[in-house]
Amino acid sequence: MRAGPASGTDRYHHEVVLHGADEEFLAVVAPFVREGVAAGEPTIVALAEHESALLRRALPRGAGVSWLSRAEQYRTPASAIRTYREQFAEAFRAGVPQVRLVGNVPHHVAAWSGWVRYEAAVNQAFAALPVWSLCSYDTRVTPRAIIDDVVRTHPHLVGPDGTRRPNPGFVDPEEVLTERMRAPLPAEPGPAVLVLDDPSPAAARHALLGTAPLLDRDELEDLVLALSEVVDNAWVHGVPPVRVALWTGERTVVTVTDTGPGPSDPYAGLLPAKGSATAGLGLWMAHQLDREVTLHRGAGGFTVRMTAGPS
Amino acid sequence: MVRGATGTAQEGQSYPGRHAASAAELAGVAAELGAGVRPGAVEVVAVRSVYGADAVVEPEAQVRTYAAATNAAVADGFTGLRVAAEITTLVRTTAQRDAFARYEQRIDRFMTRHPFSAVCAYDREVLGVAALAELACVHPAASPGATPFRFFARDGVDAVLGGEIDRTARELLARTLDRAELAPRGDELVVDAAELGFLDHRGLLLLDELGHREEAVVALRDAPAVVGRMAALLGLARIRVDTVGTTVDTIGTTT
């Protein structure tokens, strides 16, 4: 029997606690974890270092909690969705009634665009799974705009005193994702070092390699693959002309623009599109491999922006 | 006798085929090539006499023909047999090309184990770029730009896959893998991927399909590390990627 507020359903229960003190964090999160372990429910924790340390001290030794490295688990938004789904699937194969999850995604401002998409998309990605997840955000260090997004993407709220209630400020995830796609492209630090008009995937790959970006081999291979797949997508699903632009420096940025409206699926890139042959799989892979991939829909068409290098 | 770089003697045959050569023309070419070498070392024959005019080759039978010719050359005291052939007339139609490409892959495997080698010449203007690529891609070496990738035989592995594979090469790869008619010796098809410059996810899916068809695991040896990451992401049951120094095994991966 599934414990907690989603008892009696087999749906995902996604809630957030906005706390302003370590004591408030512990008052909500520690019982959530303790009760999960006591009920024999697999309980996963992926928290920032400070919160992790607080929670470890509050729990008995050997409490049977799965502690994940936050850096690894939240490598990219799309990879976090994939690896959580793998872990959930494994747990449910063992026949448990519920999995609990405590997490806080990286929320520095530069990468937030990806993580707000994650917070919206998990509502769909985990919808059919009896998972109870508790996200925690520290209002002392989280910018106001990010807190606003957090409120829009969590259907359930937990007060610092532990009271639980449905969130009237929750917004349909598809609306959040579509809105994100309308965000303008960020300004690059200078003019592009290279602009290619209507390149083939091979021409785009060779041009990127030709600029000798300051990336390690794995990062470069990942970016080359992502670029090739995205250019391929632009030709197959987009509307020409197709333009590739490239910025090098400490970080490497590549944009691929076609003049079409972009994918109609708001989850494009975040969830593998298995139903429709392999359409969307290329974009999904780019999201898995490259740390920062954002989608932009504007008057000029649809742009995929990919970034690699130190963040 | 035709002398190779190592000074070994090999029998040579040449099949000019662009136009139907007369017996006199053939004799003239033979005299020119055979001047000063051991009688019988160079033989010049018309393509139609080897394969039949505008023939659709029978891959297995044609390999047997060359196997017998190689054995005969060795029995005559030569170290092997070399063939230089202009065979455009054998690959003009789709049916001809399909059969010949299957034959090319079989004879390529034969060559890795026997003292037989060949240079194929095709007329680019007659065949066009796409048809030429179907033939060029199954040779260990081809004219620059003739094919985006190469898929050929090498001793010790089931095949070598080199070059770049993306959307533009996808159909060609699918066709080539189908024509390969690889018969896995065990439950594994070992593909040397050390010269693989690029492979996109659809190309990798084609190799996975090959594994399903042949009921074998396609082991990509010395592949770029990104191919291993891609295979793990896609959870492909019939692909194993052995990158340099590591093994990324995707069997049993859940997605």
Side-chain angles (χ1 to χ4, degrees), chain A residues 194-200 203-205 207-208 227 242-246:
Chain A
L194 205 67
V195 175
L196 306 168
D197 285 312
D198 289 334
S200 65
R205 292 195 302 272
L208 169 59
L227 173 61
V242 174
R243 171 170 282 201
V244 171
L246 204 84

Side-chain angles (χ1 to χ4, degrees), chain A residues 112-264:
Chain A
W112 178 247
S113 179
W115 291 106
V116 62
R117 288 170 74 208
Y118 167 88
E119 288 285 28
V122 289
N123 292 299
Q124 166 68 23
F126 306 157
L129 301 170
V131 170
W132 180 7
S133 78
L134 174 59
C135 301
S136 88
Y137 286 84
D138 186 338
T139 53
R140 292 170 297 183
V141 295
T142 312
R144 185 69 230 172
I146 289 183
I147 294 290
D148 289 346
D149 284 337
V150 168
V151 171
R152 286 154 53 83
T153 50
H154 290 77
H156 302 279
L157 298 175
V158 186
D161 58 354
T163 52
R164 298 188 136 81
R165 61 190 173 93
N167 174 14
F170 177 67
V171 176
D172 181 352
E174 301 203 359
E175 200 181 312
V176 174
L177 291 167
T178 307
E179 192 183 277
R180 275 289 141 178
M181 243 192 258
R182 284 197 296 265
L185 271 164
E188 308 301 345
V193 294
L194 205 67
V195 175
L196 306 168
D197 285 312
D198 289 334
S200 65
R205 292 195 302 272
H206 298 162
L208 169 59
L209 290 168
T211 63
L214 298 169
L215 300 171
D216 67 36
R217 198 190 64 175
D218 284 354
E219 265 186 319
L220 183 56
E221 280 185 352
D222 288 348
L223 188 60
V224 166
L225 175 63
L227 173 61
S228 190
E229 296 279 0
V230 169
V231 171
D232 192 330
N233 274 346
W235 284 111
V236 176
H237 306 292
V239 178
V242 174
R243 171 170 282 201
V244 171
L246 204 84
W247 290 261
T248 52
E250 205 183 334
R251 314 195 73 197
T252 303
V253 177
V254 194
T255 61
V256 179
T257 304
D258 71 76
T259 56
S264 55

Side-chain angles (χ1 to χ4, degrees), chain A residues 18-38:
Chain A
L18 303 170
H19 64 86
D22 292 353
E23 299 71 34
E24 289 180 352
F25 164 81
L26 280 178
V28 173
V29 175
F32 175 83
V33 172
R34 267 198 299 266
E35 286 161 23
V37 172

Side-chain angles (χ1 to χ4, degrees), chain A residues 82 86 93 201-202 205-206 218 221-222 225 228-229 232 235-236 274 278 281-282 284-285 288-289, chain B residues 164-168 170 198-202 205 224-227 229-230 232-234 253-255:
Chain A
R82 174 179 57 85
E86 287 171 6
R93 267 198 301 274
R205 292 195 302 272
H206 298 162
D218 284 354
E221 280 185 352
D222 288 348
L225 175 63
S228 190
E229 296 279 0
D232 192 330
W235 284 111
V236 176
K274 278 209 168 129
T278 65
L281 213 44
W284 176 77
M285 222 148 39
Q288 293 289 330
L289 294 171
Chain B
E164 299 196 18
I165 294 152
D166 61 21
R167 176 170 54 94
T168 55
R170 199 170 299 147
F198 181 78
L199 178 67
D200 71 359
H201 85 272
R202 286 169 207 259
L205 291 175
V226 65
V227 176
R229 292 194 287 278
M230 185 162 57
L233 284 175
L234 297 173
T253 300
T254 55
T255 50

